[in-house]
Amino acid sequence: MAATGDAGRRVGGLAPRPRRAEAGDDMVHGGRILIVDDHPVVRRGLRTMLEGETWVSEVFEAATVAEAVALAVAERVEVVAMDVTLPDGDGVEATGRILQARPEVKVLMLTMADDEEIVVRALRTGARGYVLKDTDPDAVVDALRTVAQGGVVLGPGIGPSVLASLNRTPAEPPAPFNQLTARERDILGRLALGDTNARIARHFGLSEKTVRNQLSSIFAKLGVSDRVQAALLARDAGLGR
């Protein structure tokens, strides 16, 4: 989300609107909002918008998975606007950790990652919605308000194939692949296709450092010492086809 103009007035098209009151605002249980994004300009732009909403009581910011989980628990936040790409992991992982500690939290994925695999993972993890950052600014705030009220929001780019995938019960992978997280299996599948770390990082919207760390975890769980052995094992199991 590119920044334009003063950070306090506009961020990637997200401009603050006049404070408004709507019917049902007193019914919204989402006054404490956490914005999770590693770009400070994006956080400040969204914060400025949210602070103009009568149903928002307090806004917090986090730039990493670790900060997000700690703040969500310590500050008893009620709604989280969660990016996917973070320096120490991804937003889906952060969502899972937050919901494990506080299942009542409502999470809206707000990201540039337009990838159906990530959408399905996020929703299966417990996110209440998935909206792209280039969505109209008013629609972003309305999406957070809807999630705060207990609703579910899928942006216009979320196609019927995502809903079909959600309705299918995922098959339990065979050992030792059942020890891997969903993201680790995704990365292993790309490795089996011959992708480099850089290509895997671009595909999933991650940093190369995150991919290297994930691969180290994968190798340890599979009992292999390098990417070649991991790729061969994955191909034998039908991953990456």
Side-chain angles (χ1 to χ4, degrees), residues 33-203:
I33 314 294
L34 172 62
I35 303 167
V36 185
D37 198 296
D38 63 340
H39 292 93
V41 175
V42 173
R43 295 197 308 270
R44 289 168 192 162
L46 184 54
R47 180 185 193 122
T48 299
M49 292 177 60
L50 289 170
E51 287 177 340
E53 295 293 309
T54 58
W55 61 274
V56 175
S57 62
E58 198 164 5
V59 181
F60 303 90
E61 299 179 22
T64 66
V65 171
E67 289 177 1
V69 176
L71 276 170
V73 174
E75 300 296 342
R76 309 294 296 177
V77 300
E78 295 156 281
V79 179
V80 179
M82 178 72 73
D83 194 9
V84 168
T85 305
L86 298 170
D88 58 341
D90 73 18
V92 180
E93 174 194 352
T95 297
R97 289 173 59 185
I98 288 171
L99 294 178
Q100 185 175 26
R102 297 192 56 229
E104 70 277 13
V105 173
K106 310 295 193 306
V107 180
L108 174 74
M109 308 304 293
L110 179 61
T111 176
M112 291 299 294
D114 187 8
D115 185 306
E116 287 193 356
E117 293 178 10
I118 298 176
V119 177
V120 172
R121 277 205 315 121
L123 297 177
R124 281 190 171 146
T125 299
R128 304 286 299 185
Y130 199 102
V131 175
L132 297 181
K133 286 182 180 177
D134 59 4
T135 300
D136 179 85
D138 283 355
V140 171
V141 174
D142 287 340
L144 285 165
R145 187 174 183 276
T146 297
V147 166
Q149 291 176 303
V152 175
V153 179
L154 295 179
I158 310 304
S161 58
V162 169
L163 301 179
S165 296
L166 286 171
N167 290 331
R168 290 195 295 269
T169 302
E172 177 70 18
F177 302 101
N178 58 352
Q179 301 178 52
L180 305 180
T181 66
R183 171 40 61 90
E184 288 171 343
R185 288 195 293 272
D186 291 342
I187 289 175
L188 181 59
R190 302 304 304 184
L191 179 67
L193 289 171
D195 282 3
T196 62
N197 287 5
R199 289 182 65 183
I200 293 172
R202 285 196 299 272
H203 181 82

